[in-house]
Amino acid sequence: MRRNSITTLAQCLVLGLVLAGMGCEQDKGPDYGWVTVDNYSSQTIGYLYLSPASYSSWGTDQLGSSMIYPGDSFTLTSVEVGYYDLLVEDPDHYLLADGYGLYVGPGGLTYTLTD
């Protein structure tokens, strides 16, 4: 009987250590937020670029074949916390707006485009 109690206690301790270790692993790594672009302008957004502020190029368009029409919104998820530059263009690549050194925190960022 005592041997079964010790074995059960050992199993519970091992299980507790495994579960505690899993919790610690979840706390490691960078935090992530989101970026929402609200289009309250009269222009259609055809291109959206978001790059870390330390980068010298814009990278790829985040919209792909999508557009953000007047009154619509678009959200990028899983954006690593940090400072970013944002470039917004119409479908003909004319500049509509840009922002530099924008902070994306765990609570996200909303960028609003107006006329």
Side-chain angles (χ1 to χ4, degrees), residues 14 21 30 60 79:
V14 169
T60 59
V79 177

Side-chain angles (χ1 to χ4, degrees), residues 10-81:
Q11 290 171 340
C12 287
L13 287 172
V14 169
L15 179 60
L17 290 172
V18 168
L19 292 175
M22 287 171 55
C24 291
E25 287 299 314
Q26 291 174 351
D27 292 337
K28 291 182 180 178
D31 289 330
Y32 292 87
W34 44 262
V35 175
T36 295
V37 176
D38 289 332
N39 186 3
Y40 294 143
S41 76
S42 60
Q43 304 293 316
T44 297
I45 299 171
Y47 299 93
L48 172 65
Y49 300 94
L50 183 74
S51 68
S54 60
Y55 284 23
S56 60
S57 66
W58 286 108
T60 59
D61 167 43
Q62 297 297 311
L63 294 180
S65 61
S66 298
M67 303 254 185
I68 309 173
Y69 295 100
D72 287 345
S73 297
F74 181 83
T75 300
L76 296 167
T77 59
S78 301
V79 177
E80 192 171 329
V81 167

